[in-house]
Amino acid sequence: MKSRIIQISVFVAIFAFGSVYSSAQVVGADIRTSITGTQDESENDNRPRSFRETLVKLRIEKEKKEYDEMIGRAEEAVKISEELEKAFEQNGKLTATEVSRLAAAEKLVKKIRSELGGNDDVDKSKDLGPKVKHFSRAELIKSFRTTSVDLVSELKRTTRFTVSAAAIQTSNALLLITRFLRNIY
């Protein structure tokens, strides 16, 4: 009788240990999922391979399109800077229409800077005078053009996978110049 009780106790202990062990594995998987936010790629992705490949291709095309749009914005800023330089050479000043074009260029550069991952350090600087005060208006407009050309060349040197600190600094410098020009006019 004693041996029968021992056999039943061992059987119950093995069964209880197995249940605890298997539930611990399930809980462990749930904990990994809650910590990382996703399960392993092989566990979670039951979609067909062709579907996953299509998603990757679409993501790559979207990133390329966004990069091309950023280059286009920079080239548009160069075009605006050239127009402003010609107008300043003809009139000796900028008209209200040209100042609004300057504001449009500022918006383009802000968008580029945000896409590059730059922050609003320039937005927080209130006193722009000492940085560019010693320049004449003509020099500022020429500097606006050369800096915008520099921005395009910096962007073309990078890929859509990299973050260029030089391009962010150039965009910040361009923002300083545009704001100072807008404050003058």
Side-chain angles (χ1 to χ4, degrees):
M1 181 80 164
K2 244 183 179 184
S3 68
R4 190 75 160 145
I5 293 176
I6 291 174
Q7 285 178 343
I8 292 174
S9 298
V10 169
F11 179 73
V12 169
I14 290 173
F15 180 75
F17 179 72
S19 298
V20 169
Y21 181 74
S22 65
S23 67
Q25 285 182 338
V26 171
V27 169
D30 291 340
I31 290 172
R32 272 194 314 270
T33 302
S34 66
I35 290 172
T36 61
T38 60
Q39 291 180 347
D40 294 337
E41 187 72 26
S42 60
E43 292 180 71
N44 188 25
D45 205 0
N46 295 330
R47 298 175 286 195
R49 183 177 179 192
S50 61
F51 182 74
R52 291 181 298 196
E53 289 173 354
T54 303
L55 288 176
V56 169
K57 287 178 185 177
L58 289 173
R59 183 180 47 89
I60 290 170
E61 288 174 8
K62 180 183 175 202
E63 289 172 355
K64 179 151 178 41
K65 180 183 173 194
E66 290 171 351
Y67 177 75
D68 291 341
E69 288 173 353
M70 184 172 55
I71 297 290
R73 283 186 202 91
E75 289 172 345
E76 179 67 21
V78 169
K79 182 181 171 188
I80 291 171
S81 69
E82 290 170 349
E83 291 172 359
L84 294 177
E85 189 175 30
K86 287 178 187 176
F88 187 81
E89 287 174 359
Q90 290 175 352
N91 302 331
K93 64 177 186 168
L94 297 178
T95 64
T97 305
E98 292 153 349
V99 172
S100 67
R101 295 282 290 159
L102 188 63
E106 183 179 359
K107 286 181 182 179
L108 291 171
V109 174
K110 275 185 180 179
K111 179 87 170 154
I112 291 169
R113 184 186 63 186
S114 69
E115 289 174 353
L116 289 171
N119 58 17
D120 292 337
D121 287 346
V122 175
D123 293 341
K124 295 175 185 169
S125 63
K126 301 292 184 200
D127 190 17
L128 303 175
K131 296 180 181 178
V132 289
K133 195 172 197 170
H134 61 279
F135 291 114
S136 69
R137 291 178 181 182
E139 289 173 328
L140 283 171
I141 290 176
K142 285 185 186 210
S143 178
F144 176 64
R145 186 184 56 76
T146 57
T147 307
S148 60
V149 169
D150 290 345
L151 180 61
V152 170
S153 66
E154 286 291 332
L155 291 175
K156 287 185 177 180
R157 265 188 250 148
T158 63
T159 66
R160 67 179 190 269
F161 303 110
T162 59
V163 175
S164 172
I168 293 171
Q169 289 176 342
T170 304
S171 65
N172 284 339
L174 199 54
L175 285 172
L176 279 173
I177 294 168
T178 57
R179 289 183 184 140
F180 194 72
L181 282 170
R182 284 184 54 211
N183 286 337
I184 291 174
Y185 289 99

